[in-house]
Amino acid sequence: QVQLVESGGGLVQPGGSLRLSCAASGSSFSVNVMGWYRQAPGKQRELVAAISGGGTANYADSVKGRFTVSRINARTVKLQMNNLKPEDTAVYYCNANTFGGYVYWGQGTQVTVSS
């Protein structure tokens, strides 16, 4: 079992920045890829960014050049979000995939971009 705890959401004006953090506990030694998804009202959950244990990252086209995902260690992943836009407003979920093929989710943190 892996437990994920997120922090760092909030309200920010367009053009501002936020940083999200996610810490894994439990059997976190088995975690392979960690990342972030988001879900806006009335929309499907979508991948924002993900990073492997080896540091290979991939991003949604809509956030390339603005967001940066980093793996601090085997248990912690951060998402630096710059130049935020109103369309970035969503609940952001931390995601972890284990080598055994299990998928875990955090509880979600709200990000609101509004003037």
Side-chain angles (χ1 to χ4, degrees):
Q1 287 284 336
V2 175
Q3 295 80 43
L4 302 175
V5 177
E6 304 133 334
S7 61
L11 173 65
V12 65
Q13 292 186 342
S17 299
L18 282 175
R19 186 170 64 180
L20 305 182
S21 181
C22 174
S25 61
S27 301
S28 55
F29 64 87
S30 64
V31 172
N32 181 14
V33 176
M34 295 187 75
W36 295 91
Y37 285 69
R38 66 186 180 188
Q39 188 167 18
K43 295 187 176 181
Q44 289 189 332
R45 190 173 296 190
E46 63 176 0
L47 173 68
V48 176
I51 185 167
S52 70
T56 300
N58 64 289
Y59 298 89
D61 288 343
S62 60
V63 306
K64 284 180 180 177
R66 300 188 298 121
F67 291 11
T68 302
V69 63
S70 57
R71 193 79 173 261
I72 306 305
N73 51 45
R75 298 178 177 225
T76 307
V77 64
K78 295 185 184 292
L79 183 68
Q80 178 67 41
M81 304 184 292
N82 297 328
N83 190 23
L84 282 159
K85 304 176 180 181
E87 51 264 42
D88 295 318
T89 296
V91 177
Y92 284 69
Y93 295 91
C94 181
N95 167 272
N97 294 266
T98 71
F99 289 103
Y102 292 96
V103 180
Y104 296 93
W105 296 92
Q107 79 281 2
T109 185
Q110 177 70 46
V111 171
T112 303
V113 185
S114 175
S115 55

